[in-house]
Amino acid sequence: MRTPTGTLLLACVLFVALLLSGCGGDTTGHGDEAGPREELLLQPAAAPGPDPFTDSTALTAATPSPAPRTPRGTDRAVAARSGPRSLSGGTPGLYAGAERTGSCDIGRQIGHLTRDRARGRVFARVAGVPSASVPDYVRALTPVVLRADTRVTGHGFRAGRLTRRQSVLQAGTAVLVDDRGVPRVRCACGNPLRPPTALRGTPVTRGAPWLGYRPGEVIVVTPAPRLLADFTIIDLTGRIWIERRTGHDVRHDRALPPPVWSRTRPEPPRAPPPPVLRPPVPPEPDPGTASPRDAPADTSLRGTDPAPDTAADPAVPSADETAPPPEGPADPEDPGGPEEAGPDAVPDTPDPPDGAGLIPDDRAADGIPGGPTDVFTD
């Protein structure tokens, strides 16, 4: 039985095609058995970035970064192993801002979102509010400026559809935060923000790193444990700390002294004072039974003074000697009082921001009072 030559050739072509489609793989070099590697977009403070929702409404220019610190070779390994470190949204000094000046034009931002209903509907879906509530939602947010490079999930609008990217926002970026201190809107593009999601493996970084960018210094802002009535932020222009109420109205900003964190340690228990030993005192003679012979005998024991003077008798302690010793001053080494020093994660003075994130390298700040315990956890 003969097989036609054309049929045989067609079978060979199909076999080769199937073989190539199954083994060709990812030609970009980003694929592996777990699928393509995820991307992390670096977004400079003033750049709108891809797929902006609106025009920029930022009112605060990005603070230039100083010279970068000496890089550590383990930064990338630390970031890949443990991910970004976390800081509560209510941490004093986490954000900056000019006194009585918002970092974002709230009115223009609302106008952009309400004029384009399609964008407004998509924005509302990301924010988790009805479309009609978008103006009230934006007014309830607080304008501030990031003081550290911060990981977020950014959302864009392209061709009527929502886009989503894992991003790092540069320190100096103007944002709107909610009443738990979490960034919700990026003012340079109007894009809604949400907390970041975990990335599989080491992500592919897109965008040019800025001066001082260090992957190991990127942070994630976690919600404060309770609703915030105000924020303690830093006015970098006036070099003062200010209190800013939650919401868009910054006219009520007021200056504050630098924050003071109490690091009181429990006072060690004090040993009880030793008991005072009193020498035995002879009983007083009974006046009704005393005889004249008793008086000379008593006088001979105490001297020529016929009246017993216990104050002058060295064998009998005086009242000052028998009283318990007064409480002396506290141990000079006793650290019971509050120390005027803030947690290491936040500077006590409003120093200019560091492009790598304004949080010092000291990991001793992992226990900030009133905040999450995994602050900047390696």
Side-chain angles (χ1 to χ4, degrees):
M1 188 173 184
R2 301 177 60 185
T3 302
T5 304
T7 303
L8 182 59
L9 290 176
L10 179 60
C12 292
V13 170
L14 292 176
F15 177 80
V16 172
L18 290 174
L19 183 64
L20 292 176
S21 63
C23 302
D26 182 8
T27 59
T28 63
H30 296 160
D32 52 29
E33 294 181 359
R37 293 166 63 185
E38 299 183 78
E39 295 183 358
L40 187 63
L41 177 65
L42 304 182
Q43 294 194 263
D51 309 333
F53 257 78
T54 67
D55 295 336
S56 175
T57 58
L59 299 176
T60 303
T63 304
S65 301
R69 293 169 288 184
T70 303
R72 296 177 301 184
T74 59
D75 275 349
R76 293 184 181 273
V78 169
R81 182 179 70 251
S82 60
R85 293 169 291 173
S86 301
L87 192 63
S88 169
T91 303
L94 175 62
Y95 297 118
E99 188 175 9
R100 299 188 181 184
T101 302
S103 59
C104 183
D105 190 327
I106 302 294
R108 287 181 56 207
Q109 188 66 57
I110 294 174
H112 288 319
L113 294 172
T114 54
R115 279 193 297 269
D116 191 326
R117 294 187 177 183
R119 295 176 187 270
R121 283 194 299 269
V122 176
F123 183 95
R125 187 166 75 248
V126 177
V129 299
S131 298
S133 301
V134 167
D136 293 335
Y137 170 80
V138 176
R139 290 190 189 98
L141 301 177
T142 306
V144 293
V145 175
L146 298 179
R147 295 191 68 217
D149 297 342
T150 306
R151 268 279 313 275
V152 296
T153 298
H155 299 80
F157 187 83
R158 181 177 63 210
R161 302 187 64 180
L162 180 70
T163 61
R164 183 181 294 104
R165 291 180 176 86
Q166 295 303 306
S167 304
V168 175
L169 306 184
Q170 184 188 13
T173 299
V175 295
L176 301 178
V177 299
D178 63 14
D179 52 12
R180 299 277 183 148
V182 179
R184 294 299 181 182
V185 178
R186 184 171 181 262
C187 301
C189 55
N191 290 5
L193 306 174
R194 293 185 67 85
T197 60
L199 297 174
R200 296 173 297 178
T202 303
V204 178
T205 301
R206 301 298 185 195
W210 43 83
L211 183 66
Y213 170 69
R214 293 170 61 181
E217 297 298 332
V218 175
I219 70 165
V220 168
V221 179
T222 58
R226 55 183 175 274
L227 297 179
L228 301 172
D230 51 63
F231 295 91
T232 300
I233 65 177
I234 293 179
D235 184 345
L236 295 173
T237 302
R239 300 186 63 81
I240 59 173
W241 294 81
I242 62 176
E243 178 187 83
R244 174 166 293 178
R245 297 181 185 178
T246 54
H248 71 284
D249 193 350
V250 298
R251 294 175 297 176
H252 303 288
D253 287 356
R254 67 185 186 93
L256 292 176
V260 176
W261 287 266
S262 176
R263 294 181 178 178
T264 304
R265 290 182 292 182
E267 184 177 353
R270 296 180 180 273
V276 178
L277 299 178
R278 299 168 181 258
V281 179
E284 294 291 336
D286 188 354
T289 60
S291 62
R293 188 179 299 175
D294 296 332
D298 185 71
T299 303
S300 63
L301 292 173
R302 299 184 180 272
T304 58
D305 190 355
D309 186 3
T310 58
D313 188 352
V316 180
S318 64
D320 293 337
E321 295 172 340
T322 59
E327 289 291 333
D331 187 352
E333 297 182 358
D334 180 19
E339 301 176 1
E340 294 196 1
D344 299 332
V346 178
D348 290 330
T349 55
D351 294 329
D354 185 341
L358 297 168
I359 311 305
D361 293 334
D362 189 358
R363 300 302 190 266
D366 287 0
I368 293 181
T373 59
D374 58 339
V375 176
F376 293 157
T377 304
D378 280 338

